[in-house]
Amino acid sequence: MNYQLVEKNSQTIIVVTSAEPPIATGKEANCFIEACMEHNALRLIVYAEALSEDFFNLRTGLAGEILQKFVNFSLRAAIVAVDGSLIQGRMKELLAESNRGNTFRVFASQAEAEIWLAGS
């Protein structure tokens, strides 16, 4: 997993730019939690490319499993999906609903995600 630290408004944000291979199981997603804990960060940005296609297919349950981990560890998380073609069907509905909340959202750019995460 490739990630960097971003400091914004006194908040440390972990930005996961890629994973090779892409994260495909809930167990593999523990690397997100580990990176956050290692750097005492409660904010996380994950680029869509770091996630397997199964994340975007609700039938697999992977999105729910990973999002629940974020909730369990009190992480505010954002996905940056520059290419919106991954987000279709029921996933689009789920993400539209989550974008109304304060725990997880999807953005088209890292800058937008940083503003939201550092704002509270």
Side-chain angles (χ1 to χ4, degrees), residues 56-75:
F56 299 97
N57 179 355
L58 288 184
R59 289 184 181 162
T60 67
L62 183 59
E65 184 178 355
I66 291 174
L67 296 177
Q68 187 60 52
K69 286 179 185 287
F70 297 160
V71 169
N72 291 349
F73 285 90
S74 301
L75 298 178

Side-chain angles (χ1 to χ4, degrees), residues 48 51-58 63 79 86-88 91 95:
L51 299 164
S52 75
E53 290 182 17
D54 283 349
F55 180 86
F56 299 97
N57 179 355
L58 288 184
I79 288 183
L86 288 171
I87 303 170
Q88 299 178 18
M91 175 57 82
L95 296 180

Side-chain angles (χ1 to χ4, degrees), residues 12-74:
T12 300
I13 303 171
I14 302 290
V15 180
V16 179
T17 54
S18 64
E20 192 57 44
I23 302 301
T25 68
K27 186 173 182 178
E28 291 174 6
N30 287 340
C31 64
F32 299 147
I33 309 303
E34 291 165 3
C36 288
M37 297 302 114
E38 178 181 341
H39 297 286
N40 198 28
L42 294 176
R43 309 286 191 264
L44 174 69
I45 295 173
V46 179
Y47 274 77
E49 294 80 11
L51 299 164
S52 75
E53 290 182 17
D54 283 349
F55 180 86
F56 299 97
N57 179 355
L58 288 184
R59 289 184 181 162
T60 67
L62 183 59
E65 184 178 355
I66 291 174
L67 296 177
Q68 187 60 52
K69 286 179 185 287
F70 297 160
V71 169
N72 291 349
F73 285 90
S74 301

